Amino acid sequence: MKSSTDGNAASAPPPPGPAEAPEAASPPLPVKASRAGDLKVRVLSAVVLAPVVLGAVWMGGWVFHALMAFSAVVAVSEWTNMVPSARRLPARLMAAIGIMIAVMAQIAAGPAAALGVAAAFAVLTGIVGGGKDRGLLGFGVLYVAVGMAGLMWLRDLPTVGLSLFLYVMLAIWATDIGAYAAGRSIGGPKLAPRISPKKTWAGLLGGMVSASLFGWLVALAFGAARPDVALAVGAVVAVVGQAGDLFESAVKRRYNVKDSGQLIPGHGGILDRIDGLLAAAPVLALFHAAAGSVLSWW
């Protein structure tokens, strides 16, 4: 009996042990495929959305205003969804109504009227929403309104509106690309590790250089009077845009939110895409309004 049992044991393969299970259960290929799939989704989203946005910007008028109104409502809705409140739905409705009226006030009477409306609805949104962070909840209305006021004021300028809008938009896009490339290739000290651990000082400098070059090229393409000034302003736009990005990142980290929304596949929400623009556009608008005639830069 013993020899028979030993023979069977020698001829039959041993049962798989528990140590073999993890090797079969966690192959590395799905992780790589998932990353490739995420990149594909991001690229496809950009390919679809970029012509729509650029087309509306190029056409201007009511088409551009409709794009701004839609973006503003979605952005402020994302904000009120991120910041906790005691009554979320009433807060979202109040914020959406307020930002729509602010956009209409901008079209009818200019940015001062728009910001006055937004300030009033910021207070109302905080009161209606309630909660311990009602001040930050309401601030989102003013935050989005200030950015949209800058963008709309730039685009609606006669003669130079299109070129200035493209200048700030492309400078912000270039900032993101340059910061990513320099941050990945150079690395180094972190810019704001508690807020955005992936951002580095090298990335900021790369973004500034990239924004300056793109801004200079836009200035040359549109025949700006002082492309050298556009070169310097591009670096400032990059810094302000990165500050806007860090501000939204700080709010998301405060409430443990990864993306402001899920509207754009692979990219997150509207706020995730325009946080830099919301900060940079009003700064460029103020600069052009205050110093444009003196420097005659554009």
Side-chain angles (χ1 to χ4, degrees):
M1 293 291 293
K2 184 177 180 180
S3 61
S4 173
T5 304
D6 291 344
N8 290 339
S11 60
E20 297 177 5
E23 183 179 354
S26 55
L29 290 179
V31 176
K32 295 180 180 178
S34 175
R35 290 176 181 173
D38 290 343
L39 179 60
K40 182 178 179 181
V41 170
R42 289 174 65 87
V43 171
L44 286 175
S45 296
V47 167
V48 171
L49 287 177
V52 175
V53 173
L54 291 173
V57 170
W58 188 273
M59 293 178 68
W62 71 267
V63 176
F64 173 74
H65 292 158
L67 175 66
M68 290 294 99
F70 171 78
S71 301
V73 169
V74 174
V76 84
S77 296
E78 290 174 351
W79 180 276
T80 53
N81 194 49
M82 282 196 303
V83 180
S85 59
R87 295 169 291 275
R88 177 168 292 176
L89 181 58
R92 293 182 76 174
L93 289 174
M94 183 64 70
I97 292 170
I99 205 71
M100 276 296 297
I101 296 177
V103 169
M104 291 188 287
Q106 167 102 13
I107 297 170
L115 298 184
V117 170
F121 273 91
V123 174
L124 291 174
T125 299
I127 294 172
V128 169
K132 64 178 182 178
D133 289 337
R134 61 174 65 89
L136 186 60
L137 178 72
F139 175 75
V141 181
L142 191 59
Y143 165 62
V144 174
V146 169
M148 290 296 172
L151 288 168
M152 292 176 66
W153 186 85
L154 286 172
R155 179 61 187 89
D156 289 341
L157 284 172
T159 310
V160 298
L162 175 61
S163 58
L164 278 174
F165 189 96
L166 290 176
Y167 173 83
V168 68
M169 184 173 70
L170 293 177
I172 291 297
W173 285 1
T175 300
D176 292 340
I177 295 170
Y180 178 81
R184 288 294 298 270
S185 59
I186 300 173
K190 302 298 183 182
L191 179 62
R194 293 187 178 183
I195 299 175
S196 186
K198 294 183 179 180
K199 282 185 169 52
T200 63
W201 285 99
L204 175 61
L205 292 175
M208 292 171 66
V209 171
S210 183
S212 294
L213 290 175
F214 270 78
W216 178 68
L217 290 173
V218 173
L220 289 178
F222 283 92
R226 296 287 304 275
D228 56 327
V229 176
L231 190 75
V233 172
V236 177
V237 166
V239 173
V240 176
Q242 286 289 284
D245 186 282
L246 286 173
F247 170 69
E248 198 221 347
S249 294
V251 175
K252 290 193 293 186
R253 184 166 290 272
R254 176 186 176 94
Y255 300 114
N256 196 28
V257 175
K258 183 179 183 296
D259 296 318
S260 65
Q262 300 298 327
L263 180 67
I264 309 172
H267 292 269
I270 288 286
L271 272 177
D272 296 325
R273 293 300 92 207
I274 66 171
D275 48 9
L277 269 176
L278 291 179
V283 172
L284 180 63
L286 287 173
F287 169 77
H288 185 75
S293 58
V294 176
L295 293 175
S296 300
W297 74 295
W298 204 267

